Amino acid sequence: MKWVERLNEAIGYMEEHLTDEIDYEQLGRIACCSSYHFQRMFTYMAGIPLSEYIRRRKMSLAAVDLQGSDMKIVDVAEKYGYHSPTAFNRAFQSVHGIAPSAVKSEGVPVKSYPPVSFKITVKGAEEMNYRIETKDSFRIVGVSVPLHKDIEQNFAVIPSKWQEVSENGTLQKLAGMMNMPPMGVLGVSTCNDSEEWRYYIAVASSKESDGFEMYTVPAATWAVFPGEGINESIQELERRIVTEWLPASGYEYGDGPDVEVYINPDPQNAKYEVWIPVVKKQA
């Protein structure tokens, strides 16, 4: 599958640039998607955030350098892009559990993390319901927060914003402005490589913005996946979309935001849809 081949080409790029600053946007270009979607795919498929994988690979090689040569610790730190010895020491200990200086002694155990390699095994044990929907652009109004290019850092930002709008009455105001599909409170991640990354909590509306931010979701073809349960289950649905549905679907990521539609936002009995932009794979 070309899709899997491109992911492995991206891994090859990372291996060639472990002593450089790895360009996340270049990883996306190799995989034919945005850097945001690449990070999501990698995390779901490898079971580890991209930034942590890169850190482990660098520290694996750093341990080899410290064991097998007379290189100074400061030189090894510089080699792998750590200009602060303190930052290098922290990263090294987080991976190996010991300080870099300890590795100079013989017989000290360290950890090795080899490069990942992707292959797809389609199990088909559980069905996945979805529909393909082509939709014109639509306007949303709401509030937003900037997102980090390293998506691992956003895991605290987004839940915190949801809690804020739930407690200060913003969510109720937005619900009253909803007047066009998709009907529900929306979580919209605008994370292509040509604009600032932001996460919107919003509704689709043609009404006056009333002090809220506005954004136009571009026209796109969407793969729409329904789900229900506690809100944490949406993460499992997104994982299955990336690891099970997408590789065998005949589609790949399109250039558009990811959209979560919370039809019933009750955290204990949520009903929602996950919308991902897709395009037909090139033959």
Side-chain angles (χ1 to χ4, degrees):
M1 295 181 181
K2 289 185 178 180
W3 187 80
V4 179
E5 291 173 4
R6 291 199 297 263
L7 287 177
N8 285 321
E9 287 174 11
I11 298 300
Y13 167 83
M14 281 190 272
E15 287 299 305
E16 293 171 4
H17 292 83
L18 284 174
T19 56
D20 305 324
E21 185 71 28
I22 293 176
D23 185 345
Y24 282 18
E25 291 188 10
Q26 179 61 18
L27 291 172
R29 285 191 286 270
I30 293 170
C32 296
C33 62
S34 72
S35 57
Y36 172 79
H37 286 137
F38 178 83
Q39 289 184 72
R40 279 167 56 90
M41 286 192 295
F42 183 94
T43 298
Y44 284 133
M45 296 182 70
I48 181 176
L50 178 61
S51 58
E52 176 61 20
Y53 169 78
I54 292 172
R55 180 162 47 248
R56 290 182 182 183
R57 286 293 299 135
K58 286 187 174 188
M59 293 305 100
S60 290
L61 297 179
V64 173
D65 288 341
L66 291 170
Q67 286 176 320
S69 73
D70 295 327
M71 290 182 69
K72 296 179 180 178
I73 292 173
V74 66
D75 293 332
V76 175
E78 284 282 345
K79 178 179 179 180
Y80 293 101
Y82 289 84
H83 305 300
S84 161
T86 301
F88 176 73
N89 186 72
R90 189 185 309 116
F92 195 91
Q93 290 203 52
S94 72
V95 172
H96 297 290
I98 55 174
S101 56
V103 180
K104 290 290 188 179
S105 302
E106 288 189 6
V108 175
V110 293
K111 297 176 183 178
S112 176
Y113 292 94
V116 301
S117 178
F118 292 117
K119 63 180 181 179
I120 295 298
T121 301
V122 181
K123 298 179 179 179
E126 295 182 52
E127 66 181 24
M128 292 191 71
N129 296 316
Y130 74 96
R131 68 182 187 273
I132 300 296
E133 184 169 325
T134 299
K135 187 172 178 59
D136 291 336
S137 62
F138 60 94
R139 175 179 176 270
I140 63 172
V141 296
V143 295
S144 73
V145 288
L147 293 178
H148 297 277
K149 290 293 185 177
D150 178 352
I151 65 173
E152 184 182 1
Q153 298 182 47
N154 298 317
F155 294 152
V157 172
I158 293 174
S160 175
K161 192 64 178 179
W162 274 102
Q163 181 176 356
E164 177 188 323
V165 300
S166 297
E167 293 176 351
N168 66 13
T170 298
L171 210 53
Q172 289 79 3
K173 291 180 182 177
L174 288 174
M177 298 178 67
M178 185 194 319
N179 68 354
M180 54 192 291
M183 300 300 288
V185 179
L186 310 178
V188 180
S189 301
T190 61
C191 297
N192 61 56
D193 291 332
S194 61
E195 62 183 341
E196 181 187 13
W197 287 15
R198 301 195 72 83
Y199 181 84
Y200 288 84
I201 299 174
V203 295
S205 177
S206 61
K207 294 183 179 181
E208 291 294 324
S209 61
D210 194 25
F212 289 115
E213 300 172 60
M214 294 179 293
Y215 179 80
T216 300
V217 177
T221 298
W222 305 88
V224 182
F225 300 81
E228 59 184 27
I230 59 173
N231 274 352
E232 286 80 1
S233 65
I234 198 170
Q235 307 299 325
E236 174 60 16
L237 176 57
E238 290 173 345
R239 185 196 67 79
R240 291 193 64 207
I241 291 169
V242 169
T243 61
E244 298 179 26
W245 182 82
L246 195 60
S249 67
Y251 291 91
E252 55 192 14
Y253 267 117
D255 185 15
D258 283 2
V259 179
E260 301 161 353
V261 182
Y262 293 96
I263 301 164
N264 175 15
D266 178 359
Q268 300 306 314
N269 187 30
K271 292 186 178 180
Y272 50 81
E273 291 180 337
V274 173
W275 293 42
I276 65 168
V278 293
V279 294
K280 273 286 190 181
K281 287 182 181 176
Q282 298 295 318

